[in-house]
Structures are given as structure tokens and as C-alpha cells.
């Protein structure tokens, strides 16, 4: 019985020496970004662009409304023939399509600008996370908000092994 206990103890000690402890950490990326002056500046620039684009869109809408009211007035007074009414209505329809296209372009432009302004900030945060991980000996760093892995030691990447299992 004593021999069994000693053998079990020896096995446990040998296993413990082969097990490598992994060090985990986490950050709150939202809190980091909220405190960065570069993010506040990027948001201010984005808001300015948004207001500028919205102003242009509002001008287009005002012009459309004016043209529509003018068409209604001329039609009510009998100043236009049916063919002229149809032509003017087509012009208004084209203006509506231009406004719809402008709105889509505006959204696309805002997204592009946001990505352009935030990329250097995100790169800076990622570099800081990698530096902290290296200096602190962390194997993994997670984002506290989404639970995403923000940093992992390359030695823990098993993608190649999984690909091999899948025959890829």
C-alpha cells in the first residue's frame, strides 16, 4: 500500500513538472478607447464631416420640395401641358434618385472616414497590448467586453494541426 502511495505521489510530481502554467490577462478595449485623445479627435472630425454631408443632403431635399411645390402650382394654374407635367415629374423623380444615391454615398463615405481615422488608433492599442503581453509573459489577452482574443502566443496556434486533421 505504501509503495502504491509513493508511486502515485511520484506520478503526480512528475506530471506537475511537465505542466506549464499559462498566464491570461484581459483588457477593456472600450475603456481604453474612451480615454484616448486620438479617439475623441477622430470622433470630432467624423461629426464635422457628418454635419457637412447632412447639410448638403438637406439642401438637396429643400430644392426638391421647392421644385415639387412649383410643379404643383403650375399644374393647378394650368400653366403646363400634360406632356410638360410628365417631363417635370420625371425631373423630380431623377432628383429623388440622386438624393437616395447621395444618402448611400454619404453612409459609405462616413464608414470609410471612420476606418481611416481609427486605424492608427487601433494599431496603437494592438501594439500596446502586444508589448504588455510580451513584457508580462502573458500567453493570452482577452477583451473583457466581447471575450475576443486580442493577443496569443504563436506557439499556441493549432490551426496547422486542425488543417491537417481536416486534410486541408
Amino acid at each position: 500500500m505504501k509503495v502504491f502511495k509513493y508511486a502515485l505521489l511520484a506520478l503526480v510530481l512528475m506530471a506537475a513538472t511537465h505542466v506549464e502554467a499559462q498566464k491570461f490577462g484581459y483588457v477593456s478595449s472600450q475603456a481604453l478607447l474612451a480615454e484616448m485623445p486620438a479617439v475623441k479627435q477622430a470622433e470630432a472630425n467624423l461629426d464635422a464631416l457628418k454635419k457637412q454631408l447632412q447639410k448638403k443632403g438637406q439642401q438637396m431635399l429643400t430644392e426638391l420640395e421647392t421644385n415639387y411645390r412649383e410643379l404643383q402650382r403650375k399644374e393647378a394654374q394650368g400653366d403646363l401641358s400634360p406632356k410638360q407635367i410628365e417631363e417635370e415629374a420625371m425631373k423630380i423623380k431623377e432628383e429623388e434618385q440622386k438624393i437616395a444615391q447621395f444618402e448611400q454615398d454619404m453612409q459609405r463615405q462616413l464608414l470609410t472616414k471612420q476606418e481611416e481615422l481609427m486605424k492608427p488608433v487601433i494599431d496603437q492599442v494592438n501594439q500596446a497590448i502586444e508589448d504588455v503581453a510580451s513584457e508580462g509573459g502573458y500567453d493570452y489577452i482577452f477583451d473583457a467586453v466581447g471575450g475576443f482574443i486580442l493577443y496569443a502566443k504563436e506557439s499556441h496556434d493549432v490551426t496547422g494541426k486542425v488543417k491537417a486533421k481536416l486534410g486541408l
Side-chain angles (χ1 to χ4, degrees):
M1 187 67 140
K2 277 187 176 182
V3 174
F4 178 72
K5 285 183 182 178
Y6 288 118
L8 184 61
L9 179 62
L11 270 173
V12 169
L13 288 175
M14 284 190 332
T17 59
H18 285 71
V19 173
E20 183 179 318
Q22 294 180 346
K23 192 171 179 182
F24 297 90
Y26 69 91
V27 297
S28 174
S29 59
Q30 284 182 341
L32 287 173
L33 292 173
E35 293 182 31
M36 294 183 72
V39 171
K40 292 174 183 164
Q41 182 62 47
E43 287 172 350
N45 290 347
L46 199 59
D47 284 342
L49 176 62
K50 184 177 181 179
K51 286 177 184 174
Q52 177 186 359
L53 292 171
Q54 285 176 335
K55 183 178 179 182
K56 183 177 179 184
Q58 188 59 46
Q59 289 171 344
M60 292 172 77
L61 280 173
T62 302
E63 185 178 329
L64 174 69
E65 290 171 359
T66 302
N67 292 343
Y68 180 72
R69 276 192 244 110
E70 183 66 19
L71 175 61
Q72 284 182 323
R73 185 189 64 73
K74 288 180 179 180
E75 185 179 10
Q77 291 178 347
D79 292 346
L80 299 174
S81 69
K83 184 176 180 177
Q84 289 174 319
I85 292 172
E86 187 178 322
E87 288 172 357
E88 291 298 317
M90 288 298 288
K91 288 180 185 176
I92 289 175
K93 194 73 160 169
E94 288 173 6
E95 284 182 58
E96 288 174 344
Q97 290 172 350
K98 285 180 184 177
I99 291 171
Q101 183 62 45
F102 175 78
E103 288 175 353
Q104 290 176 357
D105 290 345
M106 181 179 86
Q107 292 301 322
R108 216 177 354 261
Q109 191 175 353
L110 287 170
L111 281 173
T112 302
K113 188 66 170 178
Q114 181 180 26
E115 290 172 2
E116 174 190 317
L117 292 171
M118 290 303 294
K119 185 181 180 334
V121 175
I122 299 299
D123 289 347
Q124 181 183 10
V125 169
N126 286 337
Q127 185 60 53
I129 290 169
E130 287 180 27
D131 291 346
V132 167
S134 294
E135 293 164 8
Y138 290 95
D139 292 307
Y140 298 97
I141 295 184
F142 295 89
D143 189 340
V145 176
F148 299 106
I149 295 176
L150 299 174
Y151 171 84
K153 279 189 176 178
E154 287 186 30
S155 62
H156 295 298
D157 185 1
V158 295
T159 305
K161 293 177 182 178
V162 174
K163 283 182 178 180
K165 282 277 188 201
L166 294 170
L168 302 175

